[in-house]
Amino acid sequence: MFKKYHLAEDAKIKTSSIPGPKSIALLKKQEELESQNRSYPRGIPLAFGRAKGSVVEDVDGNQYIDFISGCGVFNLGHNNSYIIDGLKKSEGLITQAVDFPTEAKIVFMEKLSKMLPPSLRGNIRINFGGPTGSDAIEAALKLARIVKGRQGIMAFQGGYHGMTTGALSVTSRIAYRNGSIPLDGNVSFMPYCSPYRCPFAKNAQPCGEECIKYFQNCLENPHSGISKPAAILLEPVQGEGGTYIPTKGWLEKIVEIAHRNDVLVIFDEVQSGFFRTGKLFASEHTNALPDIVAMSKGIGGNGYPLSLILYKKELDVWAPGTHIGTFRGNQLAMAAGSLAMEFIQKFNVEDHVKEMSSLILERLMSIKKQFFNIGDVRGIGMMFGIEYVKNKETKEPFPEMARAVKKRCYENGLLIEIGGYYGNVLRFLPALIITPDLIANGLAIFEKANIQAS
Ligand code: PMP
């Protein structure tokens, strides 16, 4: 159905080796000029030229099926023509208006408000800050602390929330936190419901109970050593952590315990939101209701930078100018975001995601059966994780194998990501408008890469 939005329906490798000569030349120039900090081209040494839908082309003309989607940004594919054509009509649009009202902004906010789950609709305020997901997290933490007059935050193990100091303080990965960076000390980390790697008991039944008890004890035991926090912050589905999907009912229980203790609930939907899981918010697959939601990535329609928090009206107590910044709401991103919402409704993208998601999961499950080192396959909407282990019984992580498969994938024309607590989870974030042919061809490359790497 969405065929015309993609550059092609299969990968095409033209050069005798990957990277091709033009990529190598640009990578070399990049190395001379750009910071040592660069990371993606170390894992996928390519230089890109153009892209459409779920296919990107490198500067040598090789075409790759894209299951990374700009880290979950291109939810409707690269350069979706509905969005690009729509934007042409807004030629001359003021692109930076700080926080003055514009038509583009009001339309965007109205459309987003109408899409909210009924329990939030009509009862929220939207705040735009800097253009990154990290900034939305900073805003959410600041607002929660002002509202409650408390400094503490409870975050969750495996959570990724960004790289600015506040966002990094609630991100659990030790390597990112690096001992020499002064971080916010008012953060405690709770175990997240990660059924394949339960920190309490292997294969606990029903999974999730132990970490709920632990969380409750930390909040309610007068000797827990943790002062009552302003808020808890968590991803309803962990992205970078390795696509961990909590068991049914877990999120509701965590939220209920937080609320019972007068603690606010912040959902980080930067990655899992904007229909990535088939619904506006991943939390809509549950009955859990947040007080504050952080959004970014997909909301800019075509990868244009935009982030926001939305929160219950009664929390709107901060003084004017409490969270300011120059780039508060790129108008082009808002116009593109509105077109993206229109597209999603008009073409019933939610149903398409459901269908394509089952197709991918079914195929991944059958691939899992063939390979001794694939310990687990999980997915929801267009968020998938394939976890590599040395041994299915011990579940010893196998990051080397994940890296080897990823390498074979891009060499054969498929772009995928690595994440997971131990760097051993391959992650797929395909566009929501992926087609059955792109899925079949992409997963054929993935299967072949597993054979080559085994
Ligand atoms: N939260 C989540 C869940 C994310 O996945 C990310 C980015 N991967 C961020 C926050 C940070 O967003 P940004 O990189 O735009 O600052």
Short mmCIF file of all heavy atoms in Angstrom, two decimals, residues 137-146 150-155 162-172 176-189 229-231 233 266:
data_model
loop_
_atom_site.label_atom_id
_atom_site.label_comp_id
_atom_site.label_asym_id
_atom_site.label_seq_id
_atom_site.Cartn_x
_atom_site.Cartn_y
_atom_site.Cartn_z
N ILE A 137 13.46 15.98 28.50
CA ILE A 137 13.66 15.33 29.80
C ILE A 137 14.06 16.37 30.85
O ILE A 137 13.54 16.35 31.97
CB ILE A 137 14.75 14.22 29.68
CG1 ILE A 137 14.29 13.13 28.69
CG2 ILE A 137 15.08 13.61 31.05
CD1 ILE A 137 13.00 12.41 29.04
N GLU A 138 14.94 17.29 30.47
CA GLU A 138 15.33 18.35 31.42
C GLU A 138 14.08 19.11 31.88
O GLU A 138 13.91 19.40 33.06
CB GLU A 138 16.30 19.35 30.76
CG GLU A 138 17.60 18.77 30.27
CD GLU A 138 18.56 18.40 31.41
OE1 GLU A 138 18.34 18.80 32.55
OE2 GLU A 138 19.52 17.66 31.13
N ALA A 139 13.22 19.45 30.91
CA ALA A 139 12.01 20.21 31.24
C ALA A 139 11.10 19.40 32.16
O ALA A 139 10.54 19.93 33.14
CB ALA A 139 11.27 20.58 29.96
N ALA A 140 10.96 18.12 31.87
CA ALA A 140 10.06 17.26 32.68
C ALA A 140 10.57 17.17 34.12
O ALA A 140 9.78 17.28 35.08
CB ALA A 140 9.98 15.87 32.05
N LEU A 141 11.88 16.99 34.27
CA LEU A 141 12.45 16.87 35.62
C LEU A 141 12.27 18.18 36.38
O LEU A 141 11.90 18.21 37.56
CB LEU A 141 13.94 16.51 35.55
CG LEU A 141 14.29 15.17 34.89
CD1 LEU A 141 15.81 15.01 34.78
CD2 LEU A 141 13.69 13.99 35.66
N LYS A 142 12.53 19.28 35.67
CA LYS A 142 12.42 20.61 36.32
C LYS A 142 10.99 20.86 36.79
O LYS A 142 10.75 21.27 37.93
CB LYS A 142 12.85 21.68 35.31
CG LYS A 142 13.03 23.05 35.91
CD LYS A 142 13.33 24.09 34.83
CE LYS A 142 14.78 24.10 34.39
NZ LYS A 142 15.04 25.13 33.35
N LEU A 143 10.04 20.60 35.89
CA LEU A 143 8.63 20.85 36.24
C LEU A 143 8.22 20.00 37.44
O LEU A 143 7.60 20.50 38.39
CB LEU A 143 7.72 20.56 35.04
CG LEU A 143 6.23 20.77 35.29
CD1 LEU A 143 5.90 22.22 35.59
CD2 LEU A 143 5.39 20.29 34.09
N ALA A 144 8.56 18.72 37.41
CA ALA A 144 8.15 17.82 38.50
C ALA A 144 8.72 18.31 39.83
O ALA A 144 8.03 18.31 40.86
CB ALA A 144 8.64 16.40 38.21
N ARG A 145 9.97 18.76 39.81
CA ARG A 145 10.61 19.21 41.06
C ARG A 145 9.96 20.50 41.57
O ARG A 145 9.79 20.67 42.77
CB ARG A 145 12.11 19.42 40.80
CG ARG A 145 12.83 18.08 40.74
CD ARG A 145 14.22 18.19 40.18
NE ARG A 145 15.01 17.03 40.58
CZ ARG A 145 16.11 16.62 39.94
NH1 ARG A 145 16.54 17.26 38.88
NH2 ARG A 145 16.76 15.56 40.38
N ILE A 146 9.62 21.38 40.63
CA ILE A 146 8.96 22.63 41.05
C ILE A 146 7.59 22.31 41.65
O ILE A 146 7.21 22.82 42.70
CB ILE A 146 8.84 23.60 39.85
CG1 ILE A 146 10.24 24.13 39.49
CG2 ILE A 146 7.88 24.75 40.17
CD1 ILE A 146 10.29 24.92 38.19
N ARG A 150 10.37 18.87 45.74
CA ARG A 150 11.33 17.84 46.18
C ARG A 150 12.37 17.65 45.07
O ARG A 150 12.06 17.86 43.91
CB ARG A 150 10.64 16.49 46.39
CG ARG A 150 9.56 16.49 47.41
CD ARG A 150 8.89 15.09 47.47
NE ARG A 150 7.51 15.23 47.84
CZ ARG A 150 6.48 14.65 47.23
NH1 ARG A 150 6.70 13.81 46.23
NH2 ARG A 150 5.25 14.85 47.64
N GLN A 151 13.57 17.19 45.47
CA GLN A 151 14.63 17.08 44.46
C GLN A 151 14.78 15.67 43.88
O GLN A 151 15.28 15.50 42.78
CB GLN A 151 15.96 17.50 45.07
CG GLN A 151 15.96 18.97 45.44
CD GLN A 151 17.33 19.48 45.85
OE1 GLN A 151 18.27 18.71 45.98
NE2 GLN A 151 17.43 20.77 46.06
N GLY A 152 14.37 14.67 44.63
CA GLY A 152 14.65 13.29 44.23
C GLY A 152 13.90 12.85 42.97
O GLY A 152 12.78 13.31 42.71
N ILE A 153 14.55 11.99 42.22
CA ILE A 153 13.91 11.36 41.04
C ILE A 153 14.24 9.88 41.11
O ILE A 153 15.37 9.49 41.41
CB ILE A 153 14.49 11.93 39.72
CG1 ILE A 153 14.27 13.44 39.59
CG2 ILE A 153 13.91 11.18 38.50
CD1 ILE A 153 12.83 13.89 39.38
N MET A 154 13.26 9.05 40.82
CA MET A 154 13.54 7.62 40.68
C MET A 154 13.51 7.29 39.19
O MET A 154 12.49 7.51 38.52
CB MET A 154 12.49 6.78 41.40
CG MET A 154 12.80 6.61 42.86
SD MET A 154 11.52 5.59 43.61
CE MET A 154 12.19 5.40 45.24
N ALA A 155 14.64 6.81 38.71
CA ALA A 155 14.72 6.39 37.30
C ALA A 155 14.84 4.87 37.32
O ALA A 155 14.80 4.24 38.38
CB ALA A 155 15.90 7.06 36.64
N GLY A 162 19.08 10.57 27.49
CA GLY A 162 19.77 11.66 26.80
C GLY A 162 21.11 12.01 27.43
O GLY A 162 21.54 11.40 28.42
N MET A 163 21.75 13.01 26.87
CA MET A 163 23.14 13.29 27.19
C MET A 163 23.38 14.62 27.90
O MET A 163 24.51 14.90 28.31
CB MET A 163 23.96 13.28 25.89
CG MET A 163 24.27 11.89 25.40
SD MET A 163 25.60 11.14 26.34
CE MET A 163 25.11 9.43 26.31
N THR A 164 22.38 15.49 28.02
CA THR A 164 22.61 16.70 28.81
C THR A 164 22.68 16.28 30.27
O THR A 164 22.22 15.18 30.63
CB THR A 164 21.47 17.71 28.58
OG1 THR A 164 20.22 17.04 28.80
CG2 THR A 164 21.50 18.27 27.16
N THR A 165 23.23 17.14 31.13
CA THR A 165 23.57 16.65 32.47
C THR A 165 22.39 16.06 33.24
O THR A 165 22.51 14.99 33.84
CB THR A 165 24.25 17.77 33.28
OG1 THR A 165 25.38 18.20 32.53
CG2 THR A 165 24.73 17.27 34.63
N GLY A 166 21.24 16.75 33.20
CA GLY A 166 20.08 16.22 33.92
C GLY A 166 19.63 14.89 33.32
O GLY A 166 19.35 13.92 34.04
N ALA A 167 19.56 14.85 31.98
CA ALA A 167 19.09 13.62 31.30
C ALA A 167 20.08 12.48 31.51
O ALA A 167 19.68 11.33 31.70
CB ALA A 167 18.89 13.90 29.81
N LEU A 168 21.37 12.80 31.52
CA LEU A 168 22.38 11.76 31.75
C LEU A 168 22.32 11.25 33.18
O LEU A 168 22.57 10.07 33.45
CB LEU A 168 23.78 12.34 31.43
CG LEU A 168 24.96 11.38 31.51
CD1 LEU A 168 24.76 10.17 30.59
CD2 LEU A 168 26.25 12.10 31.12
N SER A 169 21.93 12.13 34.09
CA SER A 169 21.84 11.73 35.50
C SER A 169 20.76 10.67 35.72
O SER A 169 20.82 9.92 36.69
CB SER A 169 21.51 12.94 36.38
OG SER A 169 22.51 13.90 36.26
N VAL A 170 19.76 10.63 34.83
CA VAL A 170 18.71 9.62 34.98
C VAL A 170 18.89 8.46 33.99
O VAL A 170 18.04 7.59 33.87
CB VAL A 170 17.30 10.25 34.81
CG1 VAL A 170 16.93 11.09 36.02
CG2 VAL A 170 17.21 11.12 33.54
N THR A 171 20.01 8.47 33.28
CA THR A 171 20.35 7.39 32.34
C THR A 171 21.28 6.43 33.06
O THR A 171 22.23 6.85 33.72
CB THR A 171 21.04 8.01 31.09
OG1 THR A 171 20.06 8.79 30.39
CG2 THR A 171 21.60 6.95 30.15
N SER A 172 21.02 5.12 32.92
CA SER A 172 21.70 4.20 33.85
C SER A 172 23.05 3.67 33.36
O SER A 172 23.85 3.20 34.16
CB SER A 172 20.78 3.01 34.14
OG SER A 172 20.54 2.30 32.94
N TYR A 176 28.31 5.66 29.92
CA TYR A 176 27.92 7.02 29.55
C TYR A 176 28.14 7.98 30.72
O TYR A 176 28.45 9.14 30.52
CB TYR A 176 26.43 7.09 29.19
CG TYR A 176 26.04 6.46 27.88
CD1 TYR A 176 24.79 5.87 27.73
CD2 TYR A 176 26.89 6.49 26.77
CE1 TYR A 176 24.39 5.30 26.52
CE2 TYR A 176 26.50 5.93 25.56
CZ TYR A 176 25.25 5.33 25.45
OH TYR A 176 24.86 4.78 24.26
N ARG A 177 27.93 7.48 31.92
CA ARG A 177 27.95 8.37 33.09
C ARG A 177 29.37 8.77 33.46
O ARG A 177 29.57 9.84 34.02
CB ARG A 177 27.24 7.69 34.27
CG ARG A 177 25.75 7.47 33.99
CD ARG A 177 25.13 6.56 35.01
NE ARG A 177 25.11 7.14 36.33
CZ ARG A 177 24.18 7.97 36.80
NH1 ARG A 177 23.17 8.30 36.03
NH2 ARG A 177 24.25 8.44 38.02
N ASN A 178 30.36 7.96 33.12
CA ASN A 178 31.77 8.30 33.25
C ASN A 178 32.07 9.04 34.57
O ASN A 178 31.69 10.20 34.73
CB ASN A 178 32.15 9.16 32.02
CG ASN A 178 33.61 9.55 32.03
OD1 ASN A 178 34.21 9.72 33.09
ND2 ASN A 178 34.18 9.67 30.87
N GLY A 179 32.80 8.42 35.45
CA GLY A 179 33.03 8.93 36.79
C GLY A 179 33.48 10.37 36.90
O GLY A 179 33.28 11.01 37.94
N SER A 180 34.03 10.96 35.84
CA SER A 180 34.56 12.31 35.99
C SER A 180 33.53 13.40 35.72
O SER A 180 33.83 14.58 35.84
CB SER A 180 35.76 12.49 35.05
OG SER A 180 35.36 12.23 33.72
N ILE A 181 32.32 13.01 35.35
CA ILE A 181 31.31 14.04 35.05
C ILE A 181 30.43 14.25 36.29
O ILE A 181 29.86 13.30 36.80
CB ILE A 181 30.41 13.59 33.87
CG1 ILE A 181 31.27 13.31 32.65
CG2 ILE A 181 29.36 14.65 33.55
CD1 ILE A 181 30.54 12.58 31.55
N PRO A 182 30.35 15.50 36.79
CA PRO A 182 29.49 15.71 37.96
C PRO A 182 28.01 15.59 37.58
O PRO A 182 27.53 16.35 36.74
CB PRO A 182 29.83 17.14 38.41
CG PRO A 182 30.44 17.79 37.22
CD PRO A 182 30.93 16.73 36.29
N LEU A 183 27.35 14.61 38.14
CA LEU A 183 25.93 14.40 37.81
C LEU A 183 25.06 14.74 39.01
O LEU A 183 25.54 14.92 40.12
CB LEU A 183 25.72 12.94 37.38
CG LEU A 183 26.40 12.55 36.06
CD1 LEU A 183 26.18 11.07 35.78
CD2 LEU A 183 25.89 13.38 34.90
N ASP A 184 23.78 14.80 38.74
CA ASP A 184 22.79 15.09 39.77
C ASP A 184 22.73 13.89 40.72
O ASP A 184 22.40 12.77 40.30
CB ASP A 184 21.47 15.29 39.03
CG ASP A 184 20.33 15.60 39.95
OD1 ASP A 184 20.45 15.34 41.15
OD2 ASP A 184 19.31 16.09 39.43
N GLY A 185 23.03 14.12 41.99
CA GLY A 185 23.09 13.02 42.94
C GLY A 185 21.75 12.62 43.53
O GLY A 185 21.66 11.71 44.36
N ASN A 186 20.67 13.29 43.09
CA ASN A 186 19.36 13.00 43.69
C ASN A 186 18.56 11.96 42.92
O ASN A 186 17.34 12.01 42.87
CB ASN A 186 18.54 14.30 43.76
CG ASN A 186 19.23 15.34 44.60
OD1 ASN A 186 19.41 15.14 45.80
ND2 ASN A 186 19.65 16.44 43.99
N VAL A 187 19.29 11.06 42.29
CA VAL A 187 18.60 10.06 41.46
C VAL A 187 18.89 8.67 42.00
O VAL A 187 20.03 8.33 42.30
CB VAL A 187 19.11 10.15 39.99
CG1 VAL A 187 18.41 9.10 39.13
CG2 VAL A 187 18.89 11.56 39.42
N SER A 188 17.83 7.86 42.14
CA SER A 188 18.06 6.45 42.49
C SER A 188 17.47 5.60 41.37
O SER A 188 16.49 5.98 40.72
CB SER A 188 17.43 6.10 43.84
OG SER A 188 16.20 6.76 43.98
N PHE A 189 18.09 4.46 41.13
CA PHE A 189 17.68 3.60 40.01
C PHE A 189 16.96 2.36 40.51
O PHE A 189 17.47 1.63 41.35
CB PHE A 189 18.90 3.20 39.17
CG PHE A 189 19.44 4.35 38.36
CD1 PHE A 189 20.44 5.17 38.87
CD2 PHE A 189 18.90 4.63 37.11
CE1 PHE A 189 20.91 6.24 38.13
CE2 PHE A 189 19.37 5.70 36.37
CZ PHE A 189 20.37 6.50 36.88
N PRO A 229 10.78 10.99 46.39
CA PRO A 229 11.15 11.76 45.19
C PRO A 229 10.01 12.64 44.69
O PRO A 229 8.85 12.48 45.10
CB PRO A 229 11.45 10.66 44.17
CG PRO A 229 10.58 9.52 44.59
CD PRO A 229 10.42 9.61 46.08
N ALA A 230 10.36 13.56 43.78
CA ALA A 230 9.32 14.36 43.11
C ALA A 230 8.60 13.50 42.09
O ALA A 230 7.39 13.62 41.91
CB ALA A 230 9.97 15.55 42.41
N ALA A 231 9.37 12.64 41.42
CA ALA A 231 8.77 11.89 40.31
C ALA A 231 9.52 10.60 40.05
O ALA A 231 10.68 10.45 40.44
CB ALA A 231 8.80 12.74 39.03
N LEU A 233 10.60 8.37 36.60
CA LEU A 233 10.75 8.60 35.16
C LEU A 233 11.08 7.28 34.49
O LEU A 233 12.01 6.58 34.91
CB LEU A 233 11.91 9.57 34.92
CG LEU A 233 12.47 9.63 33.50
CD1 LEU A 233 11.47 10.29 32.55
CD2 LEU A 233 13.79 10.40 33.46
N ILE A 266 6.50 10.41 35.15
CA ILE A 266 6.94 10.95 33.85
C ILE A 266 7.19 9.77 32.92
O ILE A 266 7.97 8.87 33.25
CB ILE A 266 8.25 11.76 33.97
CG1 ILE A 266 8.14 12.84 35.04
CG2 ILE A 266 8.64 12.35 32.62
CD1 ILE A 266 9.49 13.50 35.40
#
